[in-house]
Amino acid sequence: METYYLTVFEKNGEKLLDESFQAPTEKEAKDIAEKKLAEKDLTNKTHRCTSSSGKLVVFGR
């Protein structure tokens, strides 16, 4: 399993969320990240999910 990092920002640069999680595939990591964003009502905020190797999996602005 690989570690992924989900970060959400306010427009002023303040971090609203900064957490890591593990997923077996990039597709599952994308699904987990999108689910977490929806659960925390952060879908409309600037966000990114990256793999431990630095690959961008999800990005929204």
Side-chain angles (χ1 to χ4, degrees), residues 1-57:
M1 283 215 199
E2 188 167 359
T3 302
Y4 293 86
Y5 303 92
L6 179 61
T7 311
V8 180
F9 300 94
E10 195 60 80
K11 289 187 187 275
N12 65 5
E14 174 190 358
K15 280 187 189 177
L16 300 176
L17 181 71
D18 189 12
E19 63 181 53
S20 62
F21 62 92
Q22 294 207 338
T25 67
E26 192 175 300
K27 165 82 171 96
E28 288 182 57
K30 181 179 179 180
D31 293 342
I32 291 169
E34 289 173 347
K35 183 177 177 184
K36 285 178 182 265
L37 290 168
E39 286 174 355
K40 297 173 188 276
D41 197 26
L42 295 171
T43 305
N44 294 326
K45 301 289 185 182
T46 301
H47 56 273
R48 69 175 177 218
C49 180
T50 58
S51 68
S52 56
S53 63
K55 185 174 182 181
L56 188 62
V57 178

